[in-house]
Amino acid sequence: MALPDLDTSVGHSFGLEVDGVAIKQISEVSGLKMEQDVIELKQNTNDGKYMIKKLPGRPKAGEVTLTRGLTSDNSFEKWVKDSHFGKMTTARKGGAIIVYDYEGQPIKRYKLTNAWPKSLEIGTLKAGDTSVLTEKLVITYEQLEIE
């Protein structure tokens, strides 16, 4: 039996696609949001009453944090090096964060415009610890679109 159209979906896994290269081992995505400035227009009405009207302003740039288990894949590190050495023509990339269902089919795509890595953080290294080592990549972007 198929679920009704209004049921919410469950994101089973997440991926990052940058310049056509997909990284599907993302375990957590946080901070993904669209936001814009608010302009307050202060004016008097025809009958002389003071009124504040709120209008939409410019869209704001944002940041998103991606977490994945530490692997031998060094694609994050290469991207971070480009931005740290000021190679912004190669560091600024178009990409998308993709949410997959339990069958591996894409549910939703969040397109990032002019995205580049702000920071890369490696999880705590502790001898004898049995937890998974992680790396967190913070990506800043100029525009977010939902596809």
Side-chain angles (χ1 to χ4, degrees):
M1 181 166 125
L3 296 174
D5 289 337
L6 298 177
D7 277 353
T8 58
S9 55
V10 175
H12 185 265
S13 61
F14 314 98
L16 172 67
E17 183 179 278
V18 179
D19 285 349
V21 177
I23 301 169
K24 292 189 176 183
Q25 300 88 1
I26 307 297
S27 60
E28 184 179 339
V29 177
S30 63
L32 193 60
K33 68 178 181 177
M34 296 173 74
E35 189 177 8
Q36 68 185 46
D37 289 329
V38 176
I39 300 168
E40 286 191 358
L41 175 63
K42 299 173 184 174
Q43 62 186 9
N44 289 327
T45 60
N46 291 338
D47 57 354
K49 293 181 182 174
Y50 178 72
M51 178 178 137
I52 298 175
K53 188 172 187 174
K54 296 196 177 206
L55 303 169
R58 292 184 207 156
K60 290 184 177 182
E63 291 182 354
V64 62
T65 303
L66 306 174
T67 305
R68 73 172 181 175
L70 190 64
T71 66
S72 61
D73 177 24
N74 62 356
S75 53
F76 282 2
E77 291 89 352
K78 286 180 183 177
W79 196 17
V80 169
K81 281 181 185 177
D82 282 346
S83 68
H84 278 242
F85 289 127
K87 299 178 184 175
M88 295 312 289
T89 54
T90 56
R92 287 185 199 274
K93 298 185 182 287
I97 294 173
I98 306 162
V99 180
Y100 298 97
D101 65 8
Y102 67 95
E103 294 177 334
Q105 299 301 315
I107 299 172
K108 199 115 135 99
R109 291 176 57 92
Y110 298 94
K111 182 181 171 190
L112 306 175
T113 304
N114 288 332
W116 54 275
K118 175 183 167 185
S119 67
L120 178 65
E121 176 185 345
I122 307 303
T124 304
L125 303 173
K126 185 176 178 183
D129 192 8
T130 58
S131 61
V132 174
L133 291 175
T134 60
E135 55 184 353
K136 288 186 180 186
L137 180 69
V138 178
I139 300 173
T140 184
Y141 55 89
E142 293 176 6
Q143 185 177 0
L144 172 68
E145 295 176 47
I146 301 172
E147 296 182 331

